[in-house]
């Protein structure tokens, strides 16, 4: 390994064969490079007369945006194979960052492309990546690594778990494309919930996300969601749950309606278990004086003559499908 | 009819020369055999298959088991029926889409405890200490009681161990119809042969490799004719369009061949599963629709049908059993106190039977 200073233009920036780190250049790196230049040399290797970057993409990008022309590098022996060079890059990064699922997927693909036997990836690399040492896991990682750039970027940026990515893989490319625009502003948990619900809806109805949204007249809600209106997420989920959880959606809607019709004083709150596991109602109220208390109790007892209470308990004790 | 498909037998060196090992290897004929020092090598082979759960069901591991008897853990927050388990085999050659063993056993191969003499000793102590409460005990929690019986003959082994023991009921619970050896011995009064039942449509789509409904019922009829008491488990009950008619037909077919008096117990349990199983089985069984049914996440973290639907399933099914005078044989498996109470009211049995719903055994 030789230390030297090279012109940035000498580095072939199109060759990404060793790249798997997806973290963007952040302020910290940028400030560091601006103030002190690139202190930690990049790792390069000579291939067919060109210098290929093995490690240091973020430093290179920071140097470019600071209009630097030269960089310090360690040049690896060119007789070192691609697998050896990649292993070096992998372990340098391994000690410095926690990898996202997308990065793990790209790393697994690189290892395989550089001819590390699948068994070795499964038994040696996957445990390092905190993944179960299963062939199935490797297969899933490889599938993830073949997704389009936008999906990979989302999986990385929102730190998706394997369960979300596995569901994502079951959609067609055009369905993923449509959903990407819908979910990009959501948190990972919200993304998971929506992706899983769309998966169930698709399985139950045989219809993809975009079509079901159109068929059910939900375009306005999805439009709001794309604009970043957070309440639209709950509304969309509630609508889709009419398909995936019809019984609970219907009962909850009816119970809420009956409670509303009771026109209880503002300070009285009626709650029930939204899973419907417990058939009871919880009624709570706040009174700040004996007079207020009397007033609330009076209005509640007047309310008891309404049939709605009975209907609410009937709904809570409903049996059926 | 169910048939064993063993790809390879792994023999733990500790049991290599035991007679039961020899007997099993002989029965398996030309199967590929490897002697190993630990389970690790077996697990390695399984992990390197694309479908490790499926692979675990094709690899047989003959080994020793440290202990055999334990109380059934039931499910947190549910009313326990006081069952006891014997872990003689682990894992099952059948492949039901809803089977919790897929995620519970961590790719454990089909495992047979060769040191079953150890169970004999443990049972002696268990019988002595058990007190006066009637005990129900079985091998069907971490395995199918008859799934590997064609090579182990454990059913006969157990039957003889329990013969004449007072106040203890051994249950052999299965989805297999292979009971011939049990028909060649005098049936002990305390050995119950039981079958998990579902409509044939559910068996076809969700219970790969198991005996058909007709075969299970014929086996139950043969067991009854031979003098055994039988049991039935409607667990998991699956909700789908037309479920009521199809379950009702199953129940009608039971009573065409077996009188209510010959039935020791009937359990009802609706489809439920932990989150881990959903992640795994949803993609192992891409054709199955059961993971897309309507569920709630119960307090213990399992997915279950919502309570209104569960009660509906139980009450409708129990009504049919009532028509045949068999409602008092029913109990619920892994259900909340709320559901038990509502159910007991419906079938007009007092609350006191919740803690031990088998008064006829006392
Ligand atoms: S028969 Fe029982 S133990 Fe075997 S796969 Fe089916 S549910 Fe699981």
């Amino acid at each position: 390994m030789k230390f030297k200073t090279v012109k940035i233009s000498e580095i072939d920036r199109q060759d990404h064969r060793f790249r798997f780190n997806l973290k963007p250049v952040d302020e910290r790196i940028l400030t560091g490079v601006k103030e002190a230049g690139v202190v930690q040399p990049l790792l390069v290797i000579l291939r067919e007369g060109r210098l290929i970057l093995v490690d240091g993409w973020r430093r290179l990008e920071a140097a470019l945006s600071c209009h630097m022309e030269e960089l310090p590098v360690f040049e690896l022996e060119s007789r070192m194979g691609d697998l050896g060079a990649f292993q070096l890059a992998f372990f340098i990064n391994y000690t410095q960052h926690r990898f996202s699922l997308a990065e793990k997927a790209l790393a697994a693909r690189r290892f395989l492309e550089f001819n590390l036997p699948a068994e070795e990836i499964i038994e040696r690399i996957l445990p390092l990546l905190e993944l179960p040492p299963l062939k199935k896991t490797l297969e899933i990682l490889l599938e993830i690594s073949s997704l389009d750039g936008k999906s990979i970027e989302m999986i990385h940026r929102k730190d998706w778990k394997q369960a979300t990515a596995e569901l994502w893989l079951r959609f067609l490319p055009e369905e993923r494309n449509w959903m990407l625009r819908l979910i990009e502003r959501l948190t990972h948990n919200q993304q998971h919930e929506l992706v899983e619900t769309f998966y169930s809806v698709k399985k139950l109805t045989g219809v993809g996300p975009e079509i079901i949204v159109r068929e059910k007249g939900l375009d306005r809600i999805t439009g709001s969601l794309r604009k970043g209106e957070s309440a639209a997420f709950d509304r969309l989920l509630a609508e889709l749950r009419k398909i995936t959880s019809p019984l609970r959606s219907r009962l909850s809607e009816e119970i809420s309606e009956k409670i509303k019709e009771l026109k209880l004083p503002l300070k009285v709150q009626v709650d029930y278990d939204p899973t419907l596991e417990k058939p009871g109602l919880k009624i709570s109220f706040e009174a700040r004086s004996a007079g207020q208390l009397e007033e609330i109790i009076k209005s509640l007892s007047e309310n008891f003559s309404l049939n709605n209470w009975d209907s609410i308990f009937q709904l809570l004790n409903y049996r059926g499908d | 009819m169910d048939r064993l498909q063993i790809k390879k037998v792994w023999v733990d060196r500790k049991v290599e020369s035991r007679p039961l090992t020899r007997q099993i290897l002989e029965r398996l004929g030309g199967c590929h055999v490897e002697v190993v020092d630990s389970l690790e090598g077996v697990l390695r082979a399984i992990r390197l298959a694309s479908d490790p759960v499926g692979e675990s069901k094709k690899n047989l591991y003959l080994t020793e088991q440290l202990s055999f008897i334990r109380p059934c853990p039931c499910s947190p927050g549910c009313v326990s029926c006081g069952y006891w388990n014997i872990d003689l085999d682990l894992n099952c050659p059948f492949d039901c889409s809803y089977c919790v063993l897929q995620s519970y056993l961590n790719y454990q191969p089909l495992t047979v405890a060769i040191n079953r003499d150890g169970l004999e000793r443990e049972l002696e102590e268990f019988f002595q200490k058990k007190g006066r409460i009637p005990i129900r005990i079985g091998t069907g929690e971490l395995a199918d009681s008859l799934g590997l019986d064609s090579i182990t003959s454990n059913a006969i082994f157990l039957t003889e161990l329990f013969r004449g023991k007072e106040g203890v009921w051994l249950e052999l619970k299965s989805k297999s119809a292979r009971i011939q050896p049990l028909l060649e011995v005098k049936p002990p009064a305390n050995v119950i042969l039981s079958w998990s039942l579902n409509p044939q449509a559910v068996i076809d789509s969700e219970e790969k490799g198991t005996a058909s409904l007709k075969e299970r019922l014929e086996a139950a009829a043969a067991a009854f004719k031979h003098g055994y008491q039988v049991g039935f488990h409607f667990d998991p009950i699956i909700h789908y369009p037309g479920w009521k008619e199809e379950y009702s037909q199953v129940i009608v077919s039971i009573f065409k061949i077996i009188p209510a008096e010959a039935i020791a117990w009937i359990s009802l349990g609706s489809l439920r599963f932990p989150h881990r199983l959903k992640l795994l089985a949803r993609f192992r069984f891409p054709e199955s629709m059961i993971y897309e049914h309507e569920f709630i996440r119960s307090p213990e973290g399992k997915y279950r049908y919502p309570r209104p639907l569960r009660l509906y399933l139980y009450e409708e099914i129990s009504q049919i059993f009532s028509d045949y005078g068999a409602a008092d044989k029913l109990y619920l498996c892994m259900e909340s106190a709320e559901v038990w109470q509502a159910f007991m009211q419906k079938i007009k049995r007092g609350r006191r039977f919740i803690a031990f719903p088998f008064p006829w055994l006392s």
Side-chain angles (χ1 to χ4, degrees):
Chain A
M1 191 154 68
K2 278 192 307 243
F3 175 76
K4 59 187 198 183
T5 302
V6 298
K7 285 208 165 58
I8 291 186
S9 56
E10 284 175 52
I11 300 174
D12 181 345
R13 301 206 300 273
Q14 303 311 315
D15 194 325
H16 287 216
R17 75 178 80 171
F18 297 113
R19 184 164 198 181
F20 74 103
N21 182 337
L22 295 173
K23 289 167 189 68
V25 184
D26 57 24
E27 255 329 290
R28 197 178 53 85
I29 298 180
L30 214 52
T31 315
V33 170
K34 231 181 247 168
E35 292 187 358
V38 174
V39 179
Q40 189 192 345
L42 278 62
L43 212 55
V44 294
I45 196 161
L46 199 63
R47 288 284 183 264
E48 293 104 34
R50 295 172 297 133
L51 278 182
I52 311 289
L53 192 56
V54 176
D55 182 51
W57 290 95
R58 294 198 296 166
R59 278 163 283 156
L60 177 66
E61 278 166 36
L64 280 168
S65 51
C66 294
H67 309 293
M68 291 172 61
E69 288 183 356
E70 289 185 333
L71 279 174
V73 298
F74 280 123
E75 186 183 335
L76 298 172
E77 297 286 344
S78 57
R79 63 188 147 84
M80 180 185 253
D82 278 355
L83 178 59
F86 181 68
Q87 272 176 330
L88 208 55
F90 176 81
F91 283 106
I92 290 170
N93 280 276
Y94 182 73
T95 54
Q96 294 172 352
H97 315 282
R98 195 193 136 262
F99 297 143
S100 68
L101 180 66
E103 290 173 321
K104 292 174 186 180
L106 292 178
R109 170 158 300 278
R110 301 280 183 262
F111 274 121
L112 203 68
E113 282 169 355
F114 296 139
N115 296 323
L116 187 68
E119 284 183 17
E120 229 179 289
I121 302 176
I122 295 164
E123 295 184 324
R124 198 163 65 83
I125 305 294
L126 294 189
L128 288 175
L129 297 174
E130 294 169 352
L131 292 170
L134 298 168
K135 183 174 183 198
K136 187 172 153 278
T137 312
L138 176 60
E139 288 169 352
I140 292 166
L141 289 180
L142 295 177
E143 268 193 86
I144 294 173
S145 73
S146 331
L147 283 168
D148 58 285
K150 279 188 185 155
S151 288
I152 299 233
E153 200 266 336
M154 176 79 80
I155 294 172
H156 171 73
R157 191 160 47 85
K158 296 288 179 166
D159 206 9
W160 278 18
K161 306 231 164 51
Q162 191 178 317
T164 317
E166 271 191 83
L167 288 165
W168 192 247
L169 290 167
R170 312 288 144 173
F171 289 95
L172 299 170
E174 57 273 25
E175 292 169 340
R176 287 198 288 258
N177 231 344
W178 183 86
M179 281 195 292
L180 265 177
R181 279 178 286 131
L182 190 68
I183 64 172
E184 62 187 351
R185 296 178 194 226
L186 302 176
T187 63
H188 170 231
N189 284 347
Q190 288 175 321
Q191 289 180 331
H192 179 86
E193 228 173 323
L194 207 51
V195 170
E196 179 165 31
T197 309
F198 271 130
Y199 174 84
S200 286
V201 168
K202 185 178 169 187
K203 225 172 150 187
L204 289 166
T205 61
V207 172
E210 188 176 4
I211 300 174
I212 204 79
V213 159
R214 207 180 314 129
E215 277 180 6
K216 297 277 168 193
L218 306 174
D219 312 70
R220 279 184 52 194
I221 304 180
T222 51
S224 306
L225 189 57
R226 266 191 218 107
K227 282 188 211 139
E229 285 174 31
S230 54
F233 169 75
D234 291 327
R235 277 181 11 239
L236 178 59
L237 215 54
E239 289 299 326
L240 294 174
R241 286 202 176 131
K242 287 181 184 166
I243 305 170
T244 59
S245 300
L247 177 61
R248 219 150 46 96
S249 297
R250 179 169 57 80
L251 288 175
S252 296
E253 216 167 87
E254 285 181 33
I255 293 169
S256 304
E257 200 49 46
K258 294 279 172 210
I259 293 175
K260 226 188 273 166
E261 282 171 14
L262 287 170
K263 297 208 173 62
L264 292 166
L266 278 180
K267 293 195 166 155
V268 177
Q269 177 142 354
V270 181
D271 291 308
Y272 63 95
D273 174 7
T275 67
L276 302 175
E277 275 306 279
K278 307 260 177 228
L281 276 183
K282 267 193 194 150
I283 302 172
S284 56
F285 49 81
E286 188 190 314
R288 298 198 170 179
S289 66
Q292 252 186 26
L293 182 62
E294 195 185 351
E295 210 179 289
I296 292 171
I297 293 177
K298 204 170 141 221
S299 105
L300 268 177
S301 37
E302 277 166 12
N303 231 302
F304 276 127
S305 54
L306 294 176
N307 281 339
N308 283 36
W309 288 104
D310 245 356
S311 330
I312 293 171
F313 283 109
Q314 270 168 24
L315 288 166
L316 285 167
N317 285 294
Y318 177 82
R319 281 119 154 95
D321 51 6
Chain B
M1 180 72 96
D2 50 288
R3 196 160 3 98
L4 262 186
Q5 287 182 322
I6 306 292
K7 205 160 121 181
K8 184 165 176 182
V9 188
W10 306 74
V11 180
D12 183 342
R13 199 176 301 283
K14 291 198 278 290
V15 301
E16 193 184 354
S17 53
R18 301 284 291 260
L20 182 56
T21 305
R22 297 285 119 212
Q23 176 200 306
I24 291 174
L25 292 180
E26 255 166 49
R27 286 187 180 174
L28 282 169
C31 231
H32 184 188
V33 180
E34 186 175 332
V35 178
V36 286
D37 289 312
S38 75
L39 178 62
E40 194 37 47
V42 193
L43 288 177
R44 184 170 179 263
I46 290 171
R47 287 194 295 247
L48 292 177
S50 286
D51 172 16
V53 174
E55 194 67 13
S56 73
K57 292 169 177 287
K58 293 181 198 140
N59 282 272
L60 178 68
Y61 181 48
L62 308 181
T63 187
E64 277 182 355
Q65 177 95 338
L66 288 178
S67 67
F68 296 90
I69 303 173
R70 63 189 167 89
C72 178
C74 193
S75 197
C78 292
V79 178
S80 158
C81 69
Y83 202 76
W84 285 78
N85 293 312
I86 299 175
D87 302 329
L88 205 45
D89 303 341
L90 301 178
N91 206 346
C92 170
F94 307 140
D95 202 6
C96 302
S97 59
Y98 51 74
C99 179
V100 72
L101 299 185
Q102 295 174 87
S103 64
Y104 185 76
L105 287 181
N106 280 321
Y107 315 115
Q108 176 83 21
L110 293 171
T111 304
V112 172
I114 294 297
N115 60 326
R116 60 188 187 187
D117 42 329
L119 169 65
E120 227 170 314
R121 284 191 296 275
E122 227 177 291
L123 269 178
E124 279 309 320
E125 208 181 314
F126 183 76
F127 292 144
Q128 272 167 25
K129 288 189 182 158
K130 76 166 195 52
R132 286 179 22 198
I133 306 166
I135 297 275
R136 294 161 64 241
I137 188 166
T139 49
E141 201 216 7
L142 297 183
D144 180 285
S145 295
L146 303 178
L148 295 174
D149 202 57
S150 59
I151 53 168
T152 62
S153 301
N154 274 340
I156 290 291
F157 170 77
L158 286 165
T159 300
E160 295 311 326
L161 284 186
F162 278 80
R163 187 182 292 283
K165 300 289 185 243
E166 300 254 309
V168 198
W169 277 262
L170 168 72
E171 178 179 38
L172 298 172
K173 181 163 81 174
S174 187
K175 290 194 183 97
S176 162
R178 296 182 180 273
I179 56 160
Q180 195 48 43
L182 289 160
L183 301 180
E184 284 159 20
V185 297
K186 188 167 170 266
N190 63 336
V191 172
I192 316 288
L193 305 191
S194 73
W195 281 269
S196 300
L197 298 182
N198 254 319
Q200 187 58 44
V202 175
I203 295 175
D204 288 341
S205 64
E206 314 299 334
E207 299 179 351
K208 299 274 167 329
T210 61
S212 69
L213 175 65
K214 187 166 169 275
E215 288 167 334
R216 290 181 215 178
L217 288 174
E218 280 168 3
F224 157 65
K225 268 199 201 127
H226 193 67
Y228 284 99
Q229 278 210 86
V230 295
F232 295 106
H233 299 277
F234 284 78
D235 192 357
I237 301 167
I238 309 240
H239 176 247
Y240 59 97
W243 70 274
K244 214 171 12 175
E245 293 70 31
E246 296 199 1
Y247 277 96
S248 138
Q249 279 163 20
V250 176
I251 299 167
V252 171
S253 348
I254 293 177
F255 292 105
K256 273 190 188 148
I257 48 172
I258 293 164
E261 310 78 71
I263 300 176
W265 50 68
I266 305 156
S267 77
L268 304 182
S270 57
L271 179 63
R272 61 200 173 277
F273 49 85
H275 183 59
R276 255 186 92 192
L277 180 65
K278 187 177 182 180
L279 297 179
L280 197 151
R282 208 181 209 169
F283 301 128
R284 278 200 76 227
F285 297 94
E287 304 300 320
S288 170
M289 292 302 288
I290 61 168
Y291 290 99
E292 314 315 323
H293 287 183
E294 177 167 2
F295 300 110
I296 53 124
R297 195 90 186 258
S298 66
E300 85 265 32
K302 276 189 187 153
Y303 289 92
R304 292 171 175 276
Y305 289 150
R307 182 182 51 89
L309 176 57
R310 302 205 307 276
L311 271 167
Y312 180 52
L313 296 170
Y314 300 148
E315 290 177 0
E316 292 295 313
I317 289 181
S318 70
Q319 185 54 52
I320 312 171
F321 278 111
S322 295
D323 296 345
Y324 287 96
D328 60 347
K329 302 289 171 83
L330 292 168
Y331 69 99
L332 300 181
C333 187
M334 292 192 190
E335 263 304 349
S336 66
E338 243 102 26
V339 170
W340 260 100
Q341 274 170 16
F343 178 72
M344 284 305 203
Q345 261 169 22
K346 179 81 183 176
I347 63 169
K348 300 191 181 61
R349 271 162 61 190
R351 286 179 58 150
R352 68 195 176 91
F353 293 130
I354 290 182
F356 187 74
F358 316 101
W360 58 95
L361 297 183
S362 305

